[in-house]
């Protein structure tokens, strides 16, 4: 709710609500019906085409969100930490239903179908301690999926680099961060490096003449007084705002959950608590979008032998790319594979929860931070560092994909990159193609050339 201004009269505001405006309010079944099909699109990053898909549904089709509201939300999710598409869905659902539960319903419709499939796949894959125990065709398909996954990650990295790398300093930060990731494969080192990258960018690009580095905030020059009992007089410029109370409670709840996880993790030796805390922190530092989580999750899971092996990690990411919903769904695959269904659900909730609380908490304050040059420069530095981390993750993924058959895996990775970058194939098609090519390669060796390829 926008801060209401009355003529000397204090009014009681609703505790959790959105600004009253003239947009349509959807019912929960309608919201679920409109949100669920968006998961079927190849919505992995908020590019222009995916941006248009969200806009077509919530602005043009349902008219539950106005165009100014949508533009404000899109600019915010591109700026703050978190999973961009999931935060977009939460914000649009919240505004479409005019309450917080609408955001949860929209996110469930968008993520749960793919998460359920990944839970089932993670559970059955977890029954095999060694991938070589699988059926040979399934084993070959997995190798093809991992090979295609390398191309998908590389394509994400290239896209981010083309958008974010603007000068030699950004290039230097990316190279330095890649070297640090190889030398010090610890999550806290990654976090510290990202923070230092942001600070260095602010310091190096400081320009007093252009006020770069100065604390500048966009302030409304004039605001129309809004009377509580007359929705028509509410300032439309701030019509995207979630109530200040919901925003403040969300930020407080985020801190409380973090403290509880830290306390429980210090008191109990629990694998589920440990991994949930790790994923909660990963969801917090997801600056620049979902791809940034990949090196963090790799450092937290694969480099700790108690959690998960490299085969399962890269397979889970590839399956998440091929199934409906966001990439972050592969957290439930990792958790289920290592700790069962309950562990998978805990990891999945832990990595999404910060994104939900951040979008609710920061949306009411967006007008105060959108033009803060400090934050803009800080984010540029953080993303430059993250691109270096992502480049290292590409290398580790390629090494794992090639451990059974270097030539075949490399060729499939290259072909997948061509298909996804130049021919604009979507992720499910590329992953499916990779699995099929790997199987065809070995069937051809067996049946047509009468060779017995040694892959085990």
């Amino acid at each position: 709710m926008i801060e209401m201004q009355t003529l000397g009269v204090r009014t009681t505001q609703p505790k959790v609500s959105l600004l009253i405006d003239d947009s349509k309010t959807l019912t929960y079944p309608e919201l679920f019906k409109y949100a669920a099909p968006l998961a079927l699109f190849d919505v992995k990053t908020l590019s222009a085409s995916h941006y248009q898909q969200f806009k077509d549904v919530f602005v043009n089709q349902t008219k539950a969100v106005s165009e100014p509201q949508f533009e404000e939300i899109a600019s915010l999710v591109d700026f703050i930490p978190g999973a961009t598409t999931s935060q977009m869905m939460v914000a649009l659902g919240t505004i479409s239903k005019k309450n917080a539960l609408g955001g949860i319903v929209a996110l469930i419709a968008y993520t749960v179908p793919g998460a359920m499939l990944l839970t089932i796949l993670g559970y059955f894959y977890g029954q095999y301690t060694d991938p070589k125990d699988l059926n040979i065709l399934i084993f070959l398909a997995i190798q093809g999926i991992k090979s295609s996954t390398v191309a998908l990650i590389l394509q994400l990295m290239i896209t981010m680099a083309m958008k974010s790398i603007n000068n030699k300093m950004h290039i230097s930060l990316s190279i330095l961060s890649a070297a640090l990731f190889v030398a010090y494969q610890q999550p806290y080192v990654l976090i510290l490096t990202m923070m230092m990258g942001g600070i260095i960018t602010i310091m190096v690009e400081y320009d007093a003449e252009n006020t770069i580095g100065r604390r500048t905030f966009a302030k409304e020059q004039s605001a129309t007084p809004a009377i509580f009992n007359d929705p028509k007089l509410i300032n439309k410029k701030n019509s995207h705002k979630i109530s200040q109370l919901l925003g403040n409670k969300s930020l407080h709840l985020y801190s409380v959950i973090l403290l509880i996880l830290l306390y429980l993790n210090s008191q109990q030796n629990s694998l589920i608590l440990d991994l949930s805390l790790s994923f909660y922190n990963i969801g917090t530092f997801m600056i620049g979008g979902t791809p940034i989580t990949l090196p963090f999750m790799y450092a937290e899971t694969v480099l700790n032998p108690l959690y998960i092996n490299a085969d399962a990690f890269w397979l889970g990411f590839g399956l998440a790319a091929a199934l409906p919903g966001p990439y972050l769904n592969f957290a439930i695959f990792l958790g289920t594979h290592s700790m069962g269904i309950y562990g998978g659900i805990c990891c999945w909730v832990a990595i999404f929860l910060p994104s939900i609380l951040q979008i609710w908490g920061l949306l009411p304050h967006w007008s105060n931070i959108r033009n803060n040059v400090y934050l803009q420069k800080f984010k540029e530095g953080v993303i430059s560092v993250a691109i270096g981390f992502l480049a290292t993750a590409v290398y580790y993924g390629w090494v794992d994909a090639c451990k059974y058959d270097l030539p075949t895996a490399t060729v499939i990775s290259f072909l997948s990159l061509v298909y996804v970058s130049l021919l604009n194939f979507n992720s499910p098609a590329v992953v499916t193609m990779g699995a099929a090519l790997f199987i065809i390669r070995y069937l051809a060796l067996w049946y047509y050339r009468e060779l017995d390829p040694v892959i085990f």
Side-chain angles (χ1 to χ4, degrees):
M1 177 68 66
I2 189 174
E3 294 181 359
M4 299 299 174
Q5 302 175 5
T6 58
L7 301 177
V9 180
R10 301 193 81 168
T11 57
T12 303
Q13 301 180 15
K15 289 188 175 180
V16 178
S17 66
L18 291 173
L19 180 72
I20 302 172
D21 58 19
D22 54 2
S23 61
K24 178 182 177 182
T25 300
L26 301 179
T27 64
Y28 291 116
E30 287 177 333
L31 183 58
F32 193 93
K33 181 183 71 173
Y34 288 117
L38 289 172
L40 299 177
F41 291 101
D42 185 33
V43 184
K44 305 305 181 187
T45 56
L46 206 59
S47 64
S49 60
H50 304 141
Y51 172 95
Q52 190 62 42
Q53 290 168 1
F54 280 95
K55 188 174 182 179
D56 287 342
V57 171
F58 286 97
V59 177
N60 301 330
Q61 188 174 351
T62 67
K63 301 190 183 304
V65 179
S66 67
E67 189 163 351
Q69 287 175 329
F70 185 87
E71 298 294 339
E72 288 293 296
I73 295 170
S75 61
L76 176 61
V77 299
D78 189 54
F79 185 84
I80 65 174
T84 51
T85 54
S86 300
Q87 287 178 324
M88 173 70 84
M89 189 60 69
V90 170
L92 293 175
T94 304
I95 291 179
S96 298
K97 191 64 184 73
K98 304 296 187 291
N99 61 38
L101 185 57
I104 300 297
V105 170
L107 184 65
I108 289 174
Y110 177 61
T111 59
V112 166
M116 292 177 64
L117 293 173
L118 286 169
T119 302
I120 296 171
L121 294 172
Y123 177 80
F124 282 108
Y125 188 70
Q127 305 304 307
Y128 297 89
T129 56
D130 190 342
K132 299 174 184 178
D133 296 333
L134 293 164
N135 176 276
I136 181 60
L137 293 180
I138 296 177
F139 176 80
L140 293 173
I142 289 173
Q143 306 315 309
I145 291 173
K146 292 195 299 180
S147 301
S148 295
T149 299
V150 174
L152 295 179
I153 302 169
L154 181 58
Q155 190 264 344
L156 289 173
M157 187 204 73
I158 293 172
T159 301
M160 289 183 62
M162 293 177 64
K163 179 180 178 182
S164 304
I165 302 295
N166 300 318
N167 52 49
K168 293 181 179 180
M169 190 196 66
H170 293 164
I171 296 174
S172 300
L173 287 174
S174 298
I175 295 173
L176 179 61
S177 63
L180 286 174
F181 189 16
V182 173
Y184 304 99
Q185 298 173 340
Q186 297 296 328
Y188 71 89
V189 175
L190 304 187
I191 294 174
L192 289 176
T193 305
M194 291 178 71
M195 299 301 103
M196 288 303 300
I199 294 172
I200 290 172
T201 303
I202 293 174
M203 296 173 61
V204 172
E205 297 190 357
Y206 180 86
D207 185 346
E209 293 182 0
N210 297 316
T211 70
I212 301 299
R214 185 189 303 171
R215 189 184 184 194
T216 56
F217 294 96
K219 296 182 179 180
E220 294 291 338
Q221 298 300 321
S222 61
T224 305
I227 300 175
F228 181 75
N229 293 323
D230 190 356
K232 294 181 179 179
L233 296 180
I234 292 177
N235 182 5
K236 294 296 182 181
K237 286 188 176 181
N238 293 320
S239 63
H240 66 281
K241 284 191 175 180
I242 296 173
S243 68
Q244 295 285 343
L245 184 57
L246 175 59
N248 294 336
K249 282 189 173 182
S250 298
L251 295 177
H252 293 156
L253 181 59
Y254 165 80
S255 301
V256 170
I257 293 174
L258 178 59
L259 292 175
I260 290 174
L261 286 174
L262 288 170
Y263 174 77
L264 292 177
N265 197 51
S266 65
Q267 298 297 315
Q268 302 182 33
N269 186 18
S270 170
L271 189 62
I272 291 180
L273 281 174
D274 193 14
L275 202 53
S276 296
L277 176 60
S278 298
F279 279 28
Y280 192 81
N281 290 331
I282 291 170
T284 299
F285 291 99
M286 203 186 309
I287 301 175
T290 305
I292 305 304
T293 62
L294 193 63
F296 282 94
M297 295 178 78
Y298 184 86
E300 287 282 6
T301 57
V302 177
L303 300 180
N304 188 332
L306 294 176
Y307 292 154
I308 199 168
N309 56 53
D311 277 306
F313 182 87
W314 299 113
L315 173 63
F317 189 84
L319 291 173
L323 293 173
Y327 278 137
L328 273 192
N329 270 345
F330 99 107
I332 202 169
F333 178 91
L334 300 181
T336 303
H337 176 269
S338 58
M339 298 174 295
I341 295 176
Y342 177 68
I345 294 173
C346 289
C347 292
W348 184 72
V349 172
I351 204 166
F352 274 104
L353 193 55
S355 294
I356 299 172
L357 298 178
Q358 285 167 356
I359 189 66
W360 280 342
L362 296 177
L363 192 54
H365 308 287
W366 177 227
S367 61
N368 294 326
I369 64 176
R370 61 182 304 163
N371 291 330
N372 186 312
V373 185
Y374 267 129
L375 295 179
Q376 292 174 353
K377 292 298 176 183
F378 182 83
K379 182 186 176 184
E380 289 179 9
V382 168
I383 292 179
S384 298
V385 170
I387 290 171
F389 292 156
L390 203 56
T392 309
V394 171
Y395 169 74
Y396 285 133
W398 175 76
V399 169
D400 184 73
C402 295
K403 67 181 179 180
Y404 294 113
D405 187 340
L406 173 61
T408 302
T410 303
V411 169
I412 291 177
S413 296
F414 175 76
L415 290 175
S416 299
L417 182 62
V418 171
Y419 276 100
V420 73
S421 299
L422 302 181
L423 303 181
N424 295 322
F425 277 43
N426 59 26
S427 299
V430 171
V431 170
T432 303
M433 181 201 70
L437 286 178
F438 215 101
I439 293 174
I440 292 171
R441 154 75 171 165
Y442 278 86
L443 289 179
L445 291 177
W446 278 325
Y447 292 106
Y448 292 97
R449 298 182 61 184
E450 297 182 354
L451 297 177
D452 185 15
V454 180
I455 192 172
F456 296 107

